[in-house]
Amino acid sequence: MAIFTDPIKNNANLGPGDAEWLHLLVGDWQLVADLAFADLALWFPDPEKEYVALAHVRPSTSHTLFHSDFVGEGIRSDLGPLVTKAWKSQVIERSSETNIWNVDMAMRVEAIPMVRNGRTLAVVTSHMDLSSSRMPSRLELTYRQCAYDLLRMGTLGLWPDFASPTGSRRGAPRVGDGLLRLDVDGIVQYASPNGVSAFRRLGDVESLEGRSLAEVTTGLLQDRRMVDESLPLVVTGRMPWRTEIESRGVSLSLRAIPLRDATERFGSLVLCRDVSELRRREKELVTKDATIREIHHRVKNNLQTVAALLRMQSRRMTSDEGKQGLEQAMRRVSTIALVHETLSQGLAQNVDFDELIDRQFRLSAEVASPSQRVHTERTGVFGKLPSDFATPLALVINELVTNAVEHGLQDREGTVWLNADRSVSGAGEEILKVSISDDGVGLPEVPHAEGLGLQIVRTLVTSELGGTLAWSARPGGGTTVELEMALVSRGA
Protein backbone atom coordinates (compact mmCIF):
# COMPACT_ATOMS: atom_id res chain seq x y z
CA MET A 1 0.00 0.00 0.00
CA ALA A 2 1.24 3.48 -0.86
CA ILE A 3 -0.23 6.95 -1.11
CA PHE A 4 0.77 10.04 -3.08
CA THR A 5 0.36 13.07 -0.81
CA ASP A 6 1.28 15.85 -3.26
CA PRO A 7 -2.10 15.84 -5.09
CA ILE A 8 -3.83 16.19 -1.72
CA LYS A 9 -1.56 18.97 -0.46
CA ASN A 10 -1.83 20.93 -3.71
CA ASN A 11 -5.63 20.79 -3.80
CA ALA A 12 -7.04 24.11 -2.63
CA ASN A 13 -10.61 22.76 -2.31
CA LEU A 14 -9.88 20.69 0.78
CA GLY A 15 -11.06 22.11 4.07
CA PRO A 16 -9.57 21.82 7.56
CA GLY A 17 -8.97 18.19 8.46
CA ASP A 18 -9.89 16.81 5.03
CA ALA A 19 -6.38 15.65 4.12
CA GLU A 20 -5.95 14.07 7.56
CA TRP A 21 -9.30 12.28 7.12
CA LEU A 22 -8.14 10.75 3.82
CA HIS A 23 -4.88 9.63 5.44
CA LEU A 24 -6.90 8.10 8.28
CA LEU A 25 -8.98 6.26 5.68
CA VAL A 26 -5.91 4.78 4.00
CA GLY A 27 -4.47 3.87 7.37
CA ASP A 28 -7.52 1.78 8.29
CA TRP A 29 -9.00 0.52 5.04
CA GLN A 30 -7.18 -2.84 5.18
CA LEU A 31 -10.11 -3.72 7.44
CA VAL A 32 -12.60 -3.03 4.64
CA ALA A 33 -10.55 -4.84 1.99
CA ASP A 34 -10.46 -7.95 4.20
CA LEU A 35 -14.18 -7.79 4.92
CA ALA A 36 -15.11 -7.22 1.27
CA PHE A 37 -12.69 -9.85 -0.10
CA ALA A 38 -11.83 -7.16 -2.64
CA ASP A 39 -9.08 -4.85 -3.85
CA LEU A 40 -9.66 -1.20 -2.99
CA ALA A 41 -8.30 1.81 -4.89
CA LEU A 42 -8.50 5.48 -3.91
CA TRP A 43 -9.05 7.98 -6.76
CA PHE A 44 -8.51 11.71 -6.63
CA PRO A 45 -9.17 14.38 -9.31
CA ASP A 46 -6.20 15.28 -11.48
CA PRO A 47 -6.17 18.03 -14.15
CA GLU A 48 -4.18 15.90 -16.59
CA LYS A 49 -5.46 12.36 -15.97
CA GLU A 50 -9.07 13.04 -14.86
CA TYR A 51 -8.43 10.88 -11.78
CA VAL A 52 -5.17 9.58 -10.32
CA ALA A 53 -4.79 6.54 -8.03
CA LEU A 54 -3.57 7.72 -4.64
CA ALA A 55 -3.51 4.32 -2.95
CA HIS A 56 -4.28 0.64 -3.42
CA VAL A 57 -4.80 -2.09 -0.85
CA ARG A 58 -5.08 -5.84 -1.39
CA PRO A 59 -7.19 -8.18 0.77
CA SER A 60 -5.49 -10.64 3.08
CA THR A 61 -8.61 -12.82 3.17
CA SER A 62 -8.62 -13.49 -0.59
CA HIS A 63 -6.38 -13.32 -3.65
CA THR A 64 -5.69 -9.99 -5.31
CA LEU A 65 -6.99 -9.04 -8.73
CA PHE A 66 -4.15 -6.63 -9.49
CA HIS A 67 -0.61 -7.96 -9.21
CA SER A 68 0.95 -4.79 -10.60
CA ASP A 69 0.99 -1.50 -8.72
CA PHE A 70 -0.96 1.31 -10.42
CA VAL A 71 -0.61 3.98 -7.71
CA GLY A 72 0.17 7.32 -9.34
CA GLU A 73 -1.34 6.30 -12.68
CA GLY A 74 -4.41 7.80 -14.36
CA ILE A 75 -7.78 6.09 -14.36
CA ARG A 76 -8.80 3.77 -17.21
CA SER A 77 -11.40 5.04 -19.65
CA ASP A 78 -13.89 2.25 -18.81
CA LEU A 79 -13.75 3.04 -15.07
CA GLY A 80 -13.76 6.85 -15.30
CA PRO A 81 -17.52 7.31 -15.95
CA LEU A 82 -18.44 5.15 -12.94
CA VAL A 83 -16.14 7.16 -10.64
CA THR A 84 -17.47 10.45 -12.02
CA LYS A 85 -21.05 9.31 -11.47
CA ALA A 86 -20.32 8.39 -7.84
CA TRP A 87 -18.47 11.69 -7.31
CA LYS A 88 -21.47 13.72 -8.42
CA SER A 89 -24.27 11.60 -6.90
CA GLN A 90 -22.48 11.06 -3.54
CA VAL A 91 -23.98 7.57 -3.32
CA ILE A 92 -22.51 4.12 -3.99
CA GLU A 93 -22.61 3.26 -7.69
CA ARG A 94 -22.23 -0.27 -9.09
CA SER A 95 -21.07 -1.09 -12.59
CA SER A 96 -23.60 -2.80 -14.83
CA GLU A 97 -20.81 -4.69 -16.57
CA THR A 98 -18.95 -7.53 -14.89
CA ASN A 99 -15.84 -7.36 -17.05
CA ILE A 100 -14.93 -3.76 -16.41
CA TRP A 101 -11.17 -3.17 -16.21
CA ASN A 102 -10.26 -6.57 -17.65
CA VAL A 103 -12.12 -8.47 -20.35
CA ASP A 104 -10.61 -11.76 -19.16
CA MET A 105 -11.74 -11.36 -15.58
CA ALA A 106 -15.26 -11.34 -14.18
CA MET A 107 -15.42 -8.84 -11.35
CA ARG A 108 -17.91 -6.60 -9.63
CA VAL A 109 -16.85 -2.96 -9.36
CA GLU A 110 -18.40 -0.46 -7.00
CA ALA A 111 -17.53 3.23 -6.70
CA ILE A 112 -17.94 4.68 -3.21
CA PRO A 113 -17.64 8.47 -2.79
CA MET A 114 -15.93 9.55 0.41
CA VAL A 115 -17.98 12.54 1.54
CA ARG A 116 -17.16 14.90 4.39
CA ASN A 117 -19.11 18.01 5.35
CA GLY A 118 -21.23 17.62 2.23
CA ARG A 119 -18.24 17.59 -0.17
CA THR A 120 -16.84 14.61 -2.07
CA LEU A 121 -13.13 14.33 -1.28
CA ALA A 122 -12.23 11.15 -3.16
CA VAL A 123 -13.74 7.96 -4.55
CA VAL A 124 -12.94 4.41 -3.45
CA THR A 125 -13.45 1.64 -5.99
CA SER A 126 -14.01 -1.91 -4.79
CA HIS A 127 -13.01 -4.74 -7.16
CA MET A 128 -14.31 -8.21 -6.21
CA ASP A 129 -13.64 -11.41 -8.13
CA LEU A 130 -16.80 -13.11 -9.44
CA SER A 131 -15.09 -15.99 -11.19
CA SER A 132 -15.86 -18.42 -8.35
CA SER A 133 -19.16 -20.18 -8.95
CA ARG A 134 -19.62 -21.60 -5.43
CA MET A 135 -22.25 -20.29 -3.04
CA PRO A 136 -20.79 -17.84 -0.50
CA SER A 137 -20.74 -19.00 3.11
CA ARG A 138 -22.44 -17.23 5.99
CA LEU A 139 -19.07 -15.84 7.02
CA GLU A 140 -18.51 -14.30 3.58
CA LEU A 141 -21.99 -12.82 3.44
CA THR A 142 -21.62 -11.31 6.91
CA TYR A 143 -18.17 -9.93 6.12
CA ARG A 144 -19.36 -8.31 2.90
CA GLN A 145 -22.34 -6.76 4.66
CA CYS A 146 -19.97 -5.32 7.27
CA ALA A 147 -17.77 -3.90 4.51
CA TYR A 148 -20.78 -2.34 2.81
CA ASP A 149 -21.93 -0.77 6.08
CA LEU A 150 -18.50 0.81 6.66
CA LEU A 151 -18.28 2.13 3.10
CA ARG A 152 -21.84 3.44 3.37
CA MET A 153 -20.72 5.33 6.48
CA GLY A 154 -17.90 6.76 4.37
CA THR A 155 -20.46 8.33 2.03
CA LEU A 156 -21.98 10.04 5.07
CA GLY A 157 -18.68 11.20 6.55
CA LEU A 158 -19.13 8.91 9.58
CA TRP A 159 -16.17 6.64 8.85
CA PRO A 160 -13.26 6.76 9.40
CA ASP A 161 -13.67 8.28 12.85
CA PHE A 162 -11.01 10.58 14.29
CA ALA A 163 -11.69 8.94 17.66
CA SER A 164 -10.41 5.60 16.31
CA PRO A 165 -7.39 4.20 18.19
CA THR A 166 -4.03 5.31 16.83
CA GLY A 167 -1.83 4.25 19.75
CA SER A 168 1.50 2.57 19.24
CA ARG A 169 0.84 -0.48 21.43
CA ARG A 170 1.29 -3.63 19.43
CA GLY A 171 -1.40 -6.26 18.92
CA ALA A 172 -4.12 -4.41 17.00
CA PRO A 173 -6.87 -6.91 16.06
CA ARG A 174 -7.42 -7.71 12.40
CA VAL A 175 -10.36 -9.26 10.57
CA GLY A 176 -8.70 -12.67 10.35
CA ASP A 177 -8.05 -12.74 14.11
CA GLY A 178 -11.73 -12.74 15.01
CA LEU A 179 -14.86 -10.67 14.33
CA LEU A 180 -18.14 -10.25 16.18
CA ARG A 181 -21.14 -8.33 14.86
CA LEU A 182 -23.41 -6.82 17.51
CA ASP A 183 -26.84 -5.26 17.27
CA VAL A 184 -27.66 -1.89 18.79
CA ASP A 185 -28.20 -3.50 22.23
CA GLY A 186 -24.83 -5.26 22.23
CA ILE A 187 -26.25 -8.73 21.44
CA VAL A 188 -23.94 -10.89 19.30
CA GLN A 189 -25.55 -11.45 15.90
CA TYR A 190 -22.58 -13.27 14.38
CA ALA A 191 -19.23 -14.54 15.67
CA SER A 192 -16.51 -15.77 13.34
CA PRO A 193 -14.84 -19.09 14.19
CA ASN A 194 -11.64 -17.34 15.28
CA GLY A 195 -13.66 -14.97 17.44
CA VAL A 196 -15.39 -17.88 19.17
CA SER A 197 -12.03 -19.59 19.73
CA ALA A 198 -10.56 -16.44 21.29
CA PHE A 199 -13.34 -16.25 23.88
CA ARG A 200 -13.13 -19.99 24.52
CA ARG A 201 -9.50 -19.48 25.51
CA LEU A 202 -10.73 -16.95 28.06
CA GLY A 203 -13.00 -19.63 29.55
CA ASP A 204 -16.34 -19.17 27.76
CA VAL A 205 -17.62 -22.54 26.54
CA GLU A 206 -21.07 -21.52 25.29
CA SER A 207 -22.04 -20.10 21.92
CA LEU A 208 -21.64 -16.34 21.66
CA GLU A 209 -24.49 -15.68 19.27
CA GLY A 210 -27.66 -14.40 20.87
CA ARG A 211 -25.87 -13.35 24.06
CA SER A 212 -24.84 -9.94 25.36
CA LEU A 213 -21.11 -9.48 24.82
CA ALA A 214 -20.94 -7.22 27.88
CA GLU A 215 -22.43 -9.95 30.08
CA VAL A 216 -20.15 -12.60 28.56
CA THR A 217 -17.08 -10.48 29.18
CA THR A 218 -18.11 -9.56 32.72
CA GLY A 219 -18.56 -13.22 33.60
CA LEU A 220 -15.06 -14.05 32.38
CA LEU A 221 -13.23 -11.40 34.42
CA GLN A 222 -11.62 -12.71 37.58
CA ASP A 223 -10.14 -9.48 38.95
CA ARG A 224 -12.44 -6.58 38.13
CA ARG A 225 -10.12 -4.10 39.84
CA MET A 226 -7.78 -4.39 36.85
CA VAL A 227 -10.48 -3.70 34.23
CA ASP A 228 -9.85 -0.89 31.74
CA GLU A 229 -12.49 1.84 32.20
CA SER A 230 -13.12 1.85 28.43
CA LEU A 231 -14.13 -1.85 28.43
CA PRO A 232 -17.92 -1.31 28.86
CA LEU A 233 -18.03 1.12 25.92
CA VAL A 234 -16.04 -1.27 23.71
CA VAL A 235 -17.95 -4.50 24.41
CA THR A 236 -21.25 -2.71 23.82
CA GLY A 237 -19.92 -1.17 20.60
CA ARG A 238 -20.73 2.38 21.62
CA MET A 239 -17.30 3.97 21.04
CA PRO A 240 -14.56 3.30 18.42
CA TRP A 241 -11.91 2.45 20.99
CA ARG A 242 -9.54 -0.37 21.90
CA THR A 243 -9.17 -2.22 25.17
CA GLU A 244 -7.80 -5.46 26.59
CA ILE A 245 -9.16 -8.07 28.93
CA GLU A 246 -7.12 -10.68 30.76
CA SER A 247 -8.35 -13.86 32.40
CA ARG A 248 -6.76 -17.21 33.23
CA GLY A 249 -3.46 -16.08 31.74
CA VAL A 250 -5.02 -15.16 28.39
CA SER A 251 -4.95 -11.58 27.08
CA LEU A 252 -7.53 -10.55 24.50
CA SER A 253 -7.30 -7.29 22.56
CA LEU A 254 -10.66 -5.83 21.51
CA ARG A 255 -11.49 -3.06 19.08
CA ALA A 256 -15.00 -1.71 18.55
CA ILE A 257 -16.30 0.01 15.41
CA PRO A 258 -19.80 1.48 15.82
CA LEU A 259 -22.08 1.17 12.77
CA ARG A 260 -24.21 4.25 12.13
CA ASP A 261 -26.54 5.67 9.53
CA ALA A 262 -27.58 9.27 9.08
CA THR A 263 -29.74 9.27 12.22
CA GLU A 264 -28.58 6.64 14.74
CA ARG A 265 -26.28 3.76 15.64
CA PHE A 266 -27.70 0.43 14.45
CA GLY A 267 -24.97 -1.97 15.53
CA SER A 268 -21.23 -2.42 15.80
CA LEU A 269 -18.28 -4.59 14.89
CA VAL A 270 -15.87 -5.91 17.49
CA LEU A 271 -12.50 -7.25 16.37
CA CYS A 272 -10.68 -9.52 18.80
CA ARG A 273 -7.18 -10.95 18.91
CA ASP A 274 -5.39 -13.25 21.32
CA VAL A 275 -2.26 -11.30 22.31
CA SER A 276 -1.21 -13.53 25.20
CA GLU A 277 2.13 -14.52 23.71
CA LEU A 278 2.84 -10.95 22.64
CA ARG A 279 2.21 -9.59 26.14
CA ARG A 280 4.26 -12.41 27.69
CA ARG A 281 7.24 -11.44 25.55
CA GLU A 282 6.78 -7.77 26.40
CA LYS A 283 6.83 -8.65 30.11
CA GLU A 284 10.00 -10.67 29.57
CA LEU A 285 11.65 -7.69 27.90
CA VAL A 286 10.62 -5.41 30.76
CA THR A 287 12.04 -7.91 33.24
CA LYS A 288 15.30 -8.17 31.31
CA ASP A 289 15.59 -4.40 31.07
CA ALA A 290 15.04 -4.09 34.80
CA THR A 291 17.68 -6.77 35.39
CA ILE A 292 20.20 -4.95 33.20
CA ARG A 293 19.55 -1.70 35.07
CA GLU A 294 20.06 -3.50 38.37
CA ILE A 295 23.34 -4.98 37.12
CA HIS A 296 24.62 -1.53 36.13
CA HIS A 297 23.53 -0.21 39.53
CA ARG A 298 25.38 -2.95 41.39
CA VAL A 299 28.51 -2.51 39.24
CA LYS A 300 28.42 1.19 40.07
CA ASN A 301 28.14 0.42 43.78
CA ASN A 302 31.01 -2.07 43.61
CA LEU A 303 33.22 0.41 41.75
CA GLN A 304 32.45 3.08 44.32
CA THR A 305 33.47 0.63 47.03
CA VAL A 306 36.76 -0.04 45.20
CA ALA A 307 37.34 3.72 44.90
CA ALA A 308 36.70 4.13 48.64
CA LEU A 309 39.17 1.34 49.43
CA LEU A 310 41.80 3.00 47.24
CA ARG A 311 41.17 6.31 49.00
CA MET A 312 41.63 4.68 52.41
CA GLN A 313 44.79 2.95 51.23
CA SER A 314 46.24 6.18 49.86
CA ARG A 315 45.85 7.85 53.27
CA ARG A 316 48.07 5.16 54.79
CA MET A 317 50.77 5.59 52.18
CA THR A 318 53.93 7.38 53.29
CA SER A 319 55.36 7.73 49.80
CA ASP A 320 54.05 10.71 47.84
CA GLU A 321 54.48 8.82 44.58
CA GLY A 322 52.47 5.85 45.85
CA LYS A 323 49.77 8.10 47.28
CA GLN A 324 49.49 9.97 43.97
CA GLY A 325 49.23 6.70 42.02
CA LEU A 326 46.40 5.42 44.21
CA GLU A 327 44.53 8.74 43.89
CA GLN A 328 44.78 8.57 40.10
CA ALA A 329 43.50 4.99 40.13
CA MET A 330 40.65 6.11 42.38
CA ARG A 331 39.65 8.85 39.90
CA ARG A 332 39.62 6.38 37.02
CA VAL A 333 37.44 3.92 38.89
CA SER A 334 35.07 6.74 39.89
CA THR A 335 34.76 7.78 36.23
CA ILE A 336 33.74 4.26 35.19
CA ALA A 337 31.28 4.14 38.10
CA LEU A 338 29.67 7.37 36.89
CA VAL A 339 29.05 5.86 33.46
CA HIS A 340 27.41 2.78 34.98
CA GLU A 341 25.23 5.03 37.14
CA THR A 342 23.98 6.75 33.98
CA LEU A 343 23.35 3.41 32.24
CA SER A 344 21.36 2.16 35.23
CA GLN A 345 18.86 5.02 34.92
CA GLY A 346 17.54 4.21 31.45
CA LEU A 347 16.64 1.42 29.05
CA ALA A 348 18.04 2.93 25.86
CA GLN A 349 21.21 1.64 24.25
CA ASN A 350 22.35 5.25 23.78
CA VAL A 351 23.61 7.47 26.59
CA ASP A 352 22.92 11.19 27.03
CA PHE A 353 26.60 12.03 27.24
CA ASP A 354 26.09 15.76 27.86
CA GLU A 355 24.42 15.15 31.20
CA LEU A 356 27.11 12.66 32.19
CA ILE A 357 30.12 14.75 31.16
CA ASP A 358 28.85 17.95 32.79
CA ARG A 359 29.39 16.42 36.23
CA GLN A 360 32.53 14.53 35.23
CA PHE A 361 34.23 17.54 33.63
CA ARG A 362 33.97 19.75 36.70
CA LEU A 363 34.85 16.90 39.05
CA SER A 364 37.96 15.96 37.05
CA ALA A 365 39.32 19.51 37.15
CA GLU A 366 38.60 19.97 40.87
CA VAL A 367 40.05 16.63 41.98
CA ALA A 368 43.17 16.97 39.79
CA SER A 369 44.47 19.91 41.87
CA PRO A 370 42.24 20.94 44.78
CA SER A 371 44.70 23.61 45.95
CA GLN A 372 44.45 25.80 42.84
CA ARG A 373 41.57 27.73 41.29
CA VAL A 374 40.56 26.15 37.95
CA HIS A 375 37.67 27.38 35.80
CA THR A 376 35.87 25.01 33.43
CA GLU A 377 33.85 25.92 30.33
CA ARG A 378 32.01 23.48 28.07
CA THR A 379 30.58 24.23 24.63
CA GLY A 380 28.98 22.17 21.89
CA VAL A 381 26.76 19.12 22.15
CA PHE A 382 27.80 15.47 22.44
CA GLY A 383 24.21 14.25 22.12
CA LYS A 384 23.24 10.60 22.39
CA LEU A 385 26.22 8.26 22.12
CA PRO A 386 26.29 4.45 21.89
CA SER A 387 26.80 2.94 25.33
CA ASP A 388 30.00 1.17 24.25
CA PHE A 389 31.53 4.62 23.57
CA ALA A 390 30.55 6.14 26.90
CA THR A 391 33.08 4.51 29.25
CA PRO A 392 36.25 4.87 27.10
CA LEU A 393 35.35 8.45 26.04
CA ALA A 394 34.65 9.48 29.65
CA LEU A 395 38.01 7.99 30.71
CA VAL A 396 39.83 9.78 27.89
CA ILE A 397 38.30 13.15 28.79
CA ASN A 398 39.07 12.55 32.46
CA GLU A 399 42.76 11.84 31.73
CA LEU A 400 43.14 14.78 29.34
CA VAL A 401 41.50 17.24 31.75
CA THR A 402 43.66 15.94 34.58
CA ASN A 403 46.76 16.31 32.38
CA ALA A 404 45.76 19.87 31.43
CA VAL A 405 45.35 20.89 35.08
CA GLU A 406 48.46 19.15 36.43
CA HIS A 407 50.90 19.90 33.61
CA GLY A 408 49.38 22.73 31.60
CA LEU A 409 48.37 25.04 34.45
CA GLN A 410 51.13 23.85 36.81
CA ASP A 411 49.80 25.06 40.17
CA ARG A 412 48.38 28.34 38.94
CA GLU A 413 44.92 29.72 38.24
CA GLY A 414 43.58 29.07 34.75
CA THR A 415 40.77 27.75 32.55
CA VAL A 416 40.12 24.41 30.87
CA TRP A 417 37.75 24.33 27.89
CA LEU A 418 35.87 21.29 26.58
CA ASN A 419 34.17 21.49 23.18
CA ALA A 420 32.18 18.88 21.23
CA ASP A 421 31.19 19.06 17.59
CA ARG A 422 29.08 16.47 15.72
CA SER A 423 28.95 16.45 11.93
CA VAL A 424 28.33 14.13 9.00
CA SER A 425 31.16 13.25 6.61
CA GLY A 426 30.86 13.08 2.84
CA ALA A 427 30.55 9.29 3.15
CA GLY A 428 27.53 9.67 5.43
CA GLU A 429 29.39 8.76 8.65
CA GLU A 430 28.61 10.67 11.82
CA ILE A 431 31.81 12.24 13.14
CA LEU A 432 32.45 13.48 16.69
CA LYS A 433 35.27 15.95 17.33
CA VAL A 434 36.25 16.69 20.92
CA SER A 435 38.82 19.33 21.91
CA ILE A 436 40.25 20.05 25.36
CA SER A 437 42.18 23.30 25.74
CA ASP A 438 43.92 25.17 28.55
CA ASP A 439 45.58 28.59 28.88
CA GLY A 440 48.63 27.22 30.64
CA VAL A 441 52.31 27.05 29.83
CA GLY A 442 51.86 25.32 26.49
CA LEU A 443 53.65 22.36 24.96
CA PRO A 444 57.15 21.59 26.26
CA GLU A 445 60.06 22.44 23.95
CA VAL A 446 61.62 19.03 24.53
CA PRO A 447 59.15 16.10 24.42
CA HIS A 448 59.33 13.92 27.49
CA ALA A 449 58.29 10.37 28.13
CA GLU A 450 54.53 9.78 28.36
CA GLY A 451 53.11 8.91 31.74
CA LEU A 452 50.59 6.19 32.50
CA GLY A 453 47.66 8.57 31.94
CA LEU A 454 48.60 9.45 28.35
CA GLN A 455 49.39 5.81 27.60
CA ILE A 456 45.86 4.93 28.73
CA VAL A 457 44.47 7.72 26.52
CA ARG A 458 46.29 6.53 23.40
CA THR A 459 45.22 2.92 23.98
CA LEU A 460 41.56 3.82 24.47
CA VAL A 461 41.45 6.21 21.51
CA THR A 462 42.97 3.75 19.03
CA SER A 463 41.56 0.41 20.21
CA GLU A 464 38.18 1.32 21.79
CA LEU A 465 37.11 4.49 20.00
CA GLY A 466 38.86 3.98 16.67
CA GLY A 467 39.81 7.65 16.59
CA THR A 468 42.80 9.94 16.20
CA LEU A 469 44.50 12.22 18.70
CA ALA A 470 46.51 15.40 18.03
CA TRP A 471 48.22 18.04 20.23
CA SER A 472 48.74 21.64 19.14
CA ALA A 473 49.51 25.05 20.57
CA ARG A 474 46.44 27.07 21.52
CA PRO A 475 46.22 30.55 20.01
CA GLY A 476 46.77 32.98 22.87
CA GLY A 477 48.80 30.51 24.89
CA GLY A 478 48.28 27.05 26.23
CA THR A 479 47.61 23.66 24.67
CA THR A 480 44.78 22.07 22.67
CA VAL A 481 44.17 18.33 22.34
CA GLU A 482 41.81 17.24 19.56
CA LEU A 483 40.10 13.84 19.40
CA GLU A 484 38.20 12.78 16.26
CA MET A 485 36.24 9.54 15.83
CA ALA A 486 33.42 8.02 13.79
CA LEU A 487 30.30 7.11 15.77
CA VAL A 488 30.05 3.52 14.58
CA SER A 489 29.15 1.17 17.41
CA ARG A 490 31.65 -1.63 17.94
CA GLY A 491 29.52 -3.51 20.44
CA ALA A 492 28.40 -6.20 17.98
Side-chain angles (χ1 to χ4, degrees):
M1 181 187 70
I3 183 168
F4 277 67
T5 57
D6 288 343
I8 295 179
K9 293 180 180 178
N10 298 334
N11 191 290
N13 296 326
L14 295 182
D18 288 347
E20 291 76 9
W21 191 68
L22 291 177
H23 279 283
L24 189 62
L25 164 68
V26 173
D28 203 25
W29 70 345
Q30 181 69 59
L31 164 71
V32 180
D34 292 343
L35 288 172
F37 301 92
D39 287 72
L40 301 181
L42 182 68
W43 302 96
F44 196 75
D46 184 84
E48 298 180 359
K49 306 173 183 177
E50 187 181 10
Y51 295 98
V52 64
L54 291 185
H56 170 221
V57 63
R58 298 177 173 89
S60 60
T61 52
S62 178
H63 63 274
T64 181
L65 296 177
F66 307 108
H67 296 280
S68 60
D69 190 4
F70 53 86
V71 173
E73 298 180 2
I75 196 167
R76 289 171 52 109
S77 58
D78 52 354
L79 185 60
L82 182 66
V83 172
T84 300
K85 185 178 180 182
W87 185 286
K88 294 180 179 179
S89 67
Q90 295 189 342
V91 296
I92 298 177
E93 302 287 351
R94 178 178 297 180
S95 171
S96 58
E97 301 178 15
T98 60
N99 62 346
I100 190 170
W101 191 284
N102 193 327
V103 295
D104 299 324
M105 184 184 304
M107 71 170 71
R108 185 177 70 193
V109 180
E110 293 179 339
I112 305 96
M114 304 307 295
V115 182
R116 186 169 185 263
N117 297 327
R119 295 178 295 110
T120 304
L121 304 185
V123 174
V124 173
T125 54
S126 171
H127 305 260
M128 187 177 69
D129 185 13
L130 296 179
S131 58
S132 176
S133 59
R134 66 180 179 84
M135 288 293 293
S137 64
R138 184 187 175 206
L139 180 145
E140 293 179 51
L141 294 174
T142 303
Y143 277 20
R144 290 173 184 171
Q145 181 62 46
C146 293
Y148 176 83
D149 291 337
L150 289 175
L151 292 173
R152 177 78 176 88
M153 289 170 60
T155 65
L156 302 174
L158 301 175
W159 182 85
D161 194 325
F162 278 107
S164 297
T166 57
S168 59
R169 193 177 191 196
R170 297 183 300 163
R174 299 158 298 188
V175 170
D177 298 319
L179 179 135
L180 312 178
R181 181 169 178 127
L182 313 182
D183 64 13
V184 68
D185 297 318
I187 306 299
V188 180
Q189 293 179 316
Y190 175 79
S192 71
N194 285 345
V196 174
S197 298
F199 276 86
R200 282 186 177 274
R201 284 191 285 273
L202 280 176
D204 184 73
V205 295
E206 299 181 26
S207 173
L208 289 175
E209 295 185 15
R211 300 167 63 195
S212 167
L213 183 61
E215 294 179 1
V216 171
T217 305
T218 302
L220 295 173
L221 295 175
Q222 294 180 323
D223 188 354
R224 300 186 182 181
R225 296 172 300 175
M226 304 297 292
V227 174
D228 189 339
E229 60 184 8
S230 64
L231 179 62
L233 295 174
V234 172
V235 295
T236 56
R238 297 180 183 275
M239 292 299 294
W241 294 343
R242 277 181 59 186
T243 188
E244 281 193 19
I245 56 176
E246 184 175 353
S247 178
R248 297 175 176 84
V250 176
S251 296
L252 202 63
S253 177
L254 302 176
R255 177 192 174 187
I257 307 170
L259 299 177
R260 299 184 176 93
D261 56 25
T263 58
E264 60 184 359
R265 183 177 65 89
F266 61 86
S268 61
L269 306 180
V270 176
L271 301 176
C272 55
R273 178 183 180 184
D274 186 346
V275 292
S276 306
E277 184 63 19
L278 188 60
R279 297 295 176 256
R280 185 187 68 82
R281 293 181 181 179
E282 288 178 348
K283 290 179 181 178
E284 285 184 353
L285 288 175
V286 171
T287 302
K288 290 179 180 178
D289 288 335
T291 302
I292 292 173
R293 287 205 308 271
E294 180 62 21
I295 290 173
H296 282 303
H297 181 71
R298 294 191 181 190
V299 170
K300 182 262 298 184
N301 289 344
N302 292 338
L303 290 172
Q304 288 180 335
T305 302
V306 172
L309 292 174
L310 291 174
R311 187 182 300 110
M312 293 173 58
Q313 187 66 35
S314 67
R315 292 172 182 170
R316 296 176 177 268
M317 295 292 294
T318 56
S319 168
D320 291 339
E321 183 178 356
K323 182 179 293 186
Q324 184 180 12
L326 287 176
E327 289 176 349
Q328 291 176 350
M330 179 192 68
R331 288 200 300 269
R332 290 162 187 151
V333 172
S334 298
T335 298
I336 301 175
L338 186 60
V339 175
H340 280 279
E341 180 182 5
T342 303
L343 292 173
S344 69
Q345 294 173 354
L347 300 177
Q349 294 182 350
N350 293 336
V351 178
D352 186 352
F353 201 78
D354 293 282
E355 181 180 351
L356 183 152
I357 205 61
D358 275 338
R359 292 183 292 166
Q360 182 62 32
F361 181 34
R362 291 191 299 269
L363 183 63
S364 299
E366 292 172 1
V367 174
S369 185
S371 61
Q372 65 190 97
R373 186 179 179 85
V374 177
H375 304 277
T376 57
E377 294 183 15
R378 190 177 77 82
T379 56
V381 177
F382 286 88
K384 298 282 187 179
L385 297 182
S387 56
D388 52 332
F389 277 89
T391 298
L393 183 57
L395 281 171
V396 167
I397 293 176
N398 174 71
E399 295 295 336
L400 293 177
V401 171
T402 301
N403 185 71
V405 173
E406 293 181 348
H407 302 289
L409 300 181
Q410 291 186 352
D411 298 325
R412 67 177 186 176
E413 183 177 344
T415 303
V416 178
W417 292 272
L418 172 63
N419 179 68
D421 178 46
R422 291 181 72 153
S423 60
V424 179
S425 68
E429 282 188 330
E430 201 167 8
I431 304 297
L432 175 63
K433 295 180 180 179
V434 181
S435 64
I436 297 171
S437 307
D438 64 75
D439 56 358
V441 298
L443 293 171
E445 296 181 1
V446 180
H448 52 75
E450 292 183 349
L452 176 61
L454 291 183
Q455 291 178 13
I456 292 175
V457 168
R458 288 194 182 277
T459 301
L460 291 175
V461 169
T462 55
S463 62
E464 297 294 328
L465 300 177
T468 59
L469 202 63
W471 274 264
S472 61
R474 175 181 171 272
T479 307
T480 297
V481 185
E482 293 184 341
L483 164 64
E484 181 176 338
M485 61 180 183
L487 295 180
V488 180
S489 178
R490 294 166 176 80

